[in-house]
Amino acid sequence: METGENARRDLKAGKRFPLLPFHPSAFHFLDLDLPGSCLSYLHGVGSFPRLIADLILPLPVSFVIRVEILLLRGRCGDFLRDAGLACCVDAALGPPGYALAGDSSLLAPVTFFGVPPATRNTTADNNTVTVSMDDSHWSPSLSASLYKIDGWGAPYFSVNSSGNISVRPHGSGTLSHQEIDLLKIVKKVSDPKSSGGLGMQLPLVVRFPDVLKNRLESLNSAFEYAIQSFGYESHYQGVYPVKCNQDRFVVEDIVKFGSPFRFGLEAGSKPELLLAMNCLCTGNSEAFLVCNGFKDGEYISLALIARKLALNTIIVLEQEEELDLIIGLSKQLCIRPVIGVRAKLRTKHSGHFGSTSGEKGKFGLTTIQILRVVKKLEQAGMLDCLQLLHFHIGSQIPSTTLLADGVGEAAQIYCELVRLGAHMQVFDIGGGLGIDYDGSKSADSDVSVGYGLQEYAAAVVQALQCVCDRRSVRHPVLCSESGRAIVSHHSVFIFEVVSATSYEVPTMSTLGLQYLAERLSEDARADYSNLSAAAMRGDYDTCLLYVDQLKQRCVEQFKQGSLDMEHLAAVDGLCDLVNKAMGATDPVRTYHANISIFTSIPDFWAIGQLFPIAPIHRLDEKPSARGILSDLTCDSDGKIDKFIGGESSLPLHDLEGEGGANGGNVRKYYLGMFLGGAYEEALGGVHNLFGGPSVVRVSQSDGPYSFAVTRAVPGPSCADVLRVMQHEPELMFETLKHRVQESFEQQMEDEDEDKIHNASALASSLARSFNNMPYLAVDSCCLTAARNNNNGFYYCASDDDFNGVSADSVVADDEQWSYCVA
């Protein structure tokens, strides 16, 4: 065996030790100022683990574990520093052929304690961009690439120089001073009234009517350009299917903005028909009111009344049986109807949304049924009433090739109806105009499309014109029922992250490993010995096997009552430490969002629809973690763990001042879900009795903040959602208030003013609970009533109070608020 003196001399001479089993007595030589090449020899050929194995056996178990873990990660330098040794590992002095501490053949060194950095390669191929998470020179443009904002967001969303997402309300025509910073909107909405804000609670839906207007103008411009380019001899006038978003102000905006284009509405139920009739009374008199969906006598009567009111109403047959009702009621009311027929095409796409098309589709008539309709109308002397052909290939049509195929098939049916004597006027291509949710511009995805507005319009016009010209049929009026493409971009859902799971491994001082070693059972000691041996060999797979076995054995002992909680916690800490050192832990954190997915993003839960989600600020900072989102509901499905681009986690930032909603001064962290303006609000339920979000309407203005809040509606209160489920909040409050009075009845006999005040305070607290939103009160603005001791009063905003109020003075006057008592 080498003595310490001999080892010292040989190491200085540069001698190589292939498999040198040092005795603990030789440990003292390591505190000399040896050249790095000496330690490099030991590390390079496998002798260093063997050396350490002999050296550490008599040392405390906490030191043993520390050494073994460092060996697993190739952290020899860390071991030496922790041991208090003054040796340096100098890679430059190492002879050729040896793996040094910083050699690329070893596992990449990481900081032992703390969160390991997530890394992604930097590539750019086929519109797919991934960004290095280790880039020390981060910029907003890198964030725009990372979250693909330039793909799905153009031309309405971008990242500004402050690292915040900006809205470009006029699309590509937006000037730089017209861009609206989303973070400034959130601040104005959520800041308390005393600070110049609205005092509203998140989550929040922000609507941008300017974006809505631009979408309508862009759609009409695309068809107008295609019509002129191909010499099409008719015009385009579309309708908006109100099922996409029935919000009163959305529908009214569409009617107003669409009036120059004769843009109309489509209804699929009696309530939708009623609201469409009301809104179109102020619209263009030529605008279509298309009546789709299953119909009974009352629905058809309403549609006929709408025609009597000079609304350009068309009743579309979804079922053959509806024709008898139309004929009978029209004669009874003496109103001549305009009738359309929905055809079931053979053309369909194979994606999720293609199930509504094809011969097995839910709606429409087959060719046999259409012929029977023609014959019946002819017999009733009403064939001239048949004027529209409608079809629907399916939502999110992925390519213009499929679109042109469907239009061509439907155009043949249209021409046949003309041949059979129907006075055909309108060719309604239905919905299907898709949007690019992930920015990939792919025709092979349910969340993207391989075309833009111009390509879509050109494909429709060209395919229809080709068939009509070949059949010598006059070009019909072109109509579409594009809803998703019109309203998706105009709405942004903003919510706050209230806390995040910490990714921490206990430090050695907190593991209590000495205590653990003393309490290990015989079998557990065997597992630990096997783990140690595997660590010395560098056999990582075996290490993981024994870590799992050790943990499971101790869990079983805990279940049997033979192991206490402290012991189990120590084992868990040890296993986490080993897994962390080997990189076997999951670095993905869970970020707890102050939302209900079932209420605000129901399509994700129901059909797996993906929406782009990104922080709306801090985009000038490098994301330091990856995470999934968990909502407030007591439901395991209340999480978002799939994101655009095929990702199972989202790059996110650490919460500054971590501590959650109830601990520490946490800097607010806001995320936005984009392109969710269609369907989500109407489909959302009240799972766990979480109601909808607050809603504000924001228009671009020439003021200092570039925007004006023209309307603000607080989200439903606890009382509101209770009423939805047939509860009576007023009676509930009286019952609880009476219970409070009973509980204080004995104390109040003493006429103690403090006790009387406490009873009153409890009742006021109950009143506030009924009138506040169900979401977590992480923002001070929602506690205004409590902190100001308003004795049960809370702030209520009349909808009309906010019309035309600019952002810098949105709550400047107390007259804009009214007080309501609970």
Side-chain angles (χ1 to χ4, degrees):
M1 180 181 297
E2 295 277 2
T3 65
E5 188 63 32
N6 290 339
R8 173 174 152 183
R9 181 187 65 249
D10 292 339
L11 284 169
K12 283 189 173 183
K15 183 176 179 180
R16 177 177 175 178
F17 296 89
L19 290 170
L20 187 61
F22 277 99
H23 189 271
S25 62
F27 189 82
H28 69 275
F29 87 91
L30 287 174
D31 64 358
L32 299 176
D33 186 15
L34 299 177
S37 57
C38 301
L39 295 181
S40 300
Y41 293 164
L42 298 175
H43 183 66
V45 295
S47 58
F48 190 79
R50 182 73 173 273
L51 165 68
I52 298 302
D54 282 350
L55 288 177
I56 64 179
L57 289 177
L59 300 178
V61 66
S62 61
F63 190 73
V64 175
I65 296 297
R66 173 65 170 156
V67 170
E68 291 176 353
I69 299 302
L70 289 170
L71 287 173
L72 289 173
R73 298 298 290 167
R75 298 305 304 273
C76 307
D78 281 356
F79 157 66
L80 295 173
R81 284 192 295 274
D82 286 0
L85 307 177
C87 297
C88 66
V89 180
D90 184 1
L93 296 177
Y98 289 92
L100 308 183
D103 193 284
S104 61
S105 64
L106 300 176
L107 292 174
V110 298
T111 304
F112 184 72
F113 297 107
V115 181
T119 59
R120 301 175 67 192
N121 294 328
T122 303
T123 60
D125 185 29
N126 296 329
N127 297 315
T128 299
V129 181
T130 55
V131 182
S132 171
M133 300 288 282
D134 291 325
D135 196 324
S136 58
H137 303 287
W138 201 257
S139 67
S141 62
L142 289 176
S143 287
S145 298
L146 178 63
Y147 295 103
K148 302 178 175 64
I149 296 173
D150 294 335
W152 55 258
Y156 301 107
F157 303 101
S158 62
V159 182
N160 61 31
S161 58
S162 299
N164 304 331
I165 291 184
S166 284
V167 178
R168 308 180 75 231
H170 309 300
S172 57
T174 305
L175 303 177
S176 59
H177 72 276
Q178 295 175 323
E179 295 186 2
I180 302 172
D181 191 318
L182 278 178
L183 187 62
K184 291 181 179 179
I185 294 176
V186 172
K187 179 175 175 56
K188 281 296 176 184
V189 169
S190 62
D191 277 357
K193 179 173 178 268
S194 59
S195 300
L198 279 172
M200 295 173 65
Q201 187 178 350
L202 270 62
L204 175 71
V205 166
V206 185
R207 301 196 199 283
F208 296 94
D210 294 313
V211 173
L212 199 60
K213 181 180 181 182
N214 185 266
R215 292 300 292 174
L216 277 169
E217 292 173 345
S218 299
L219 177 62
N220 282 274
S221 295
F223 272 102
E224 182 62 26
Y225 180 81
I227 286 170
Q228 292 182 3
S229 298
F230 291 104
Y232 191 81
E233 296 175 356
S234 189
H235 67 274
Y236 167 79
Q237 66 180 89
V239 295
Y240 166 67
V242 297
K243 67 178 181 181
C244 290
N245 194 322
Q246 300 98 334
D247 181 83
R248 168 190 165 189
F249 302 101
V250 171
V251 179
E252 288 180 353
D253 280 343
I254 289 174
V255 171
K256 181 176 68 174
F257 299 147
S259 184
F261 314 111
R262 295 171 285 197
F263 211 83
L265 299 175
E266 179 269 346
S269 67
K270 285 179 278 189
E272 289 184 352
L273 178 55
L274 287 168
L275 75 86
M277 291 168 61
N278 176 70
C279 291
L280 284 175
C281 285
T282 60
N284 191 304
S285 61
E286 297 182 47
F288 291 135
L289 172 52
V290 177
C291 301
N292 288 329
F294 290 104
K295 304 171 189 69
D296 60 5
E298 186 177 9
Y299 187 131
I300 293 171
S301 295
L302 275 174
L304 291 170
I305 292 171
R307 185 138 193 99
K308 186 71 172 179
L309 299 177
L311 298 176
N312 194 3
T313 310
I314 304 175
I315 305 174
V316 179
L317 295 176
E318 302 280 5
Q319 294 181 301
E320 190 177 357
E321 295 79 10
E322 295 170 358
L323 181 58
D324 292 330
L325 286 172
I326 294 173
I327 293 174
L329 288 169
S330 64
K331 291 180 179 179
Q332 181 180 336
L333 297 173
C334 299
I335 300 172
R336 194 77 171 172
V338 174
I339 299 173
V341 60
R342 177 168 175 169
K344 284 185 178 179
L345 302 185
R346 273 73 168 178
T347 304
K348 63 175 295 184
H349 70 79
S350 58
H352 169 80
F353 298 104
S355 60
T356 57
S357 61
E359 291 183 281
K360 302 295 184 181
K362 179 179 178 182
F363 298 108
L365 307 181
T366 64
T367 53
I368 295 175
Q369 292 173 315
I370 292 174
L371 288 173
R372 287 203 294 259
V373 165
V374 170
K375 184 176 181 180
K376 186 172 291 189
L377 284 172
E378 187 176 22
Q379 292 172 346
M382 298 175 62
L383 188 55
D384 62 311
C385 295
L386 181 56
Q387 299 182 14
L388 177 145
L389 176 70
H390 171 47
F391 66 94
H392 180 64
I393 299 174
S395 296
Q396 284 286 109
I397 297 173
S399 69
T400 54
T401 301
L402 177 64
L403 173 65
D405 190 25
V407 170
E409 181 187 351
Q412 294 291 351
I413 298 175
Y414 181 91
C415 293
E416 285 297 301
L417 289 173
V418 172
R419 182 183 65 81
L420 292 171
H423 290 199
M424 301 301 291
Q425 303 289 331
V426 184
F427 187 82
D428 183 354
I429 64 176
L433 173 55
I435 61 173
D436 191 358
Y437 286 101
D438 64 4
S440 65
K441 296 179 173 58
S442 170
D444 301 319
S445 170
D446 284 339
V447 293
S448 185
V449 291
Y451 56 83
L453 289 178
Q454 196 62 64
E455 294 87 352
Y456 176 86
V460 172
V461 172
Q462 186 177 25
L464 177 58
Q465 181 178 5
C466 180
V467 174
C468 289
D469 288 349
R470 192 165 61 244
R471 299 288 300 270
S472 299
V473 172
R474 187 177 63 180
H475 297 170
V477 174
L478 255 173
C479 178
S480 71
E481 301 177 6
S482 302
R484 186 190 304 268
I486 291 176
V487 298
S488 291
H489 298 78
H490 96 288
S491 176
V492 180
F493 177 58
I494 299 175
F495 54 95
E496 186 175 359
V497 173
V498 295
S499 65
T501 55
S502 59
Y503 183 72
E504 296 178 355
V505 174
T507 60
M508 297 301 300
S509 60
T510 62
L511 280 176
L513 289 177
Q514 189 63 46
Y515 165 76
L516 172 61
E518 294 171 355
R519 296 292 303 275
L520 283 176
S521 66
E522 183 176 346
D523 290 338
R525 284 180 180 274
D527 289 334
Y528 172 72
S529 297
N530 291 330
L531 171 62
S532 299
M536 293 303 100
R537 297 192 305 270
D539 189 348
Y540 300 163
D541 291 338
T542 303
C543 281
L544 292 174
L545 175 66
Y546 283 117
V547 163
D548 184 65
Q549 187 168 306
L550 172 63
K551 190 169 186 176
Q552 292 302 319
R553 194 185 303 279
C554 292
V555 168
E556 290 301 320
Q557 289 179 338
F558 180 76
K559 290 179 179 179
Q560 296 169 5
S562 59
L563 196 68
D564 56 41
M565 188 180 297
E566 293 89 347
H567 197 169
L568 182 64
V571 171
D572 287 339
L574 171 61
C575 294
D576 288 345
L577 191 63
V578 174
N579 285 327
K580 166 70 161 52
M582 290 188 295
T585 52
D586 184 4
V588 176
R589 305 173 65 182
T590 298
Y591 283 68
H592 304 290
N594 196 14
I595 60 170
S596 165
I597 289 170
F598 305 93
T599 298
S600 297
I601 320 177
D603 266 342
F604 176 82
W605 165 72
I607 62 174
Q609 173 71 49
L610 301 182
F611 297 93
I613 298 175
I616 67 167
H617 61 138
R618 296 180 62 182
L619 296 177
D620 54 345
E621 304 174 26
K622 178 179 63 178
S624 54
R626 298 192 68 87
I628 63 172
L629 303 178
S630 175
D631 72 358
L632 299 181
T633 65
C634 302
D635 196 305
S636 58
D637 286 332
K639 63 181 179 181
I640 301 178
D641 53 6
K642 293 182 178 62
F643 303 87
I644 62 171
E647 299 288 347
S648 58
S649 62
L650 188 69
L652 294 169
H653 303 83
D654 281 328
L655 302 184
E656 296 186 357
E658 301 243 10
N662 299 317
N665 183 21
V666 182
R667 177 183 173 188
K668 299 183 187 305
Y669 190 47
Y670 300 109
L671 303 182
M673 185 204 78
F674 299 82
L675 309 187
Y679 298 109
E680 300 313 291
E681 294 171 54
L683 291 175
V686 289
H687 185 33
N688 260 167
L689 295 187
F690 285 105
S694 301
V695 180
V696 295
R697 189 172 183 266
V698 175
S699 296
Q700 187 267 322
S701 76
D702 295 328
Y705 294 98
S706 300
F707 69 91
V709 177
T710 59
R711 190 167 197 84
V713 181
S717 66
C718 291
D720 293 330
V721 293
L722 285 167
R723 289 189 189 95
V724 172
M725 304 306 294
Q726 308 303 313
H727 295 279
E728 299 183 41
E730 294 80 9
L731 294 180
M732 295 168 66
F733 173 69
E734 290 300 324
T735 299
L736 295 172
K737 181 180 178 182
H738 180 68
R739 191 62 175 263
V740 168
Q741 291 171 343
E742 286 182 339
S743 66
F744 278 87
E745 188 173 309
Q746 184 63 40
Q747 295 124 326
M748 291 175 66
E749 288 180 358
D750 303 332
E751 297 186 357
D752 187 326
E753 290 187 4
D754 290 339
K755 294 176 181 178
I756 295 175
H757 176 75
N758 289 340
S760 177
L762 277 179
S764 297
S765 178
L766 285 170
R768 288 192 297 271
S769 295
F770 276 105
N771 291 302
N772 284 336
M773 289 178 68
Y775 296 95
L776 298 185
V778 296
D779 204 340
S780 60
C781 70
C782 58
L783 300 177
T784 304
R787 292 183 178 178
N788 290 344
N789 192 23
N790 288 329
N791 295 323
F793 289 90
Y794 68 105
Y795 290 123
C796 295
S798 170
D799 291 346
D800 295 331
D801 288 339
F802 298 96
N803 291 328
V805 181
S806 63
D808 54 345
S809 62
V810 71
V811 288
D813 300 321
D814 288 338
E815 290 77 19
Q816 295 168 2
W817 295 90
S818 61
Y819 289 97
C820 304
V821 68

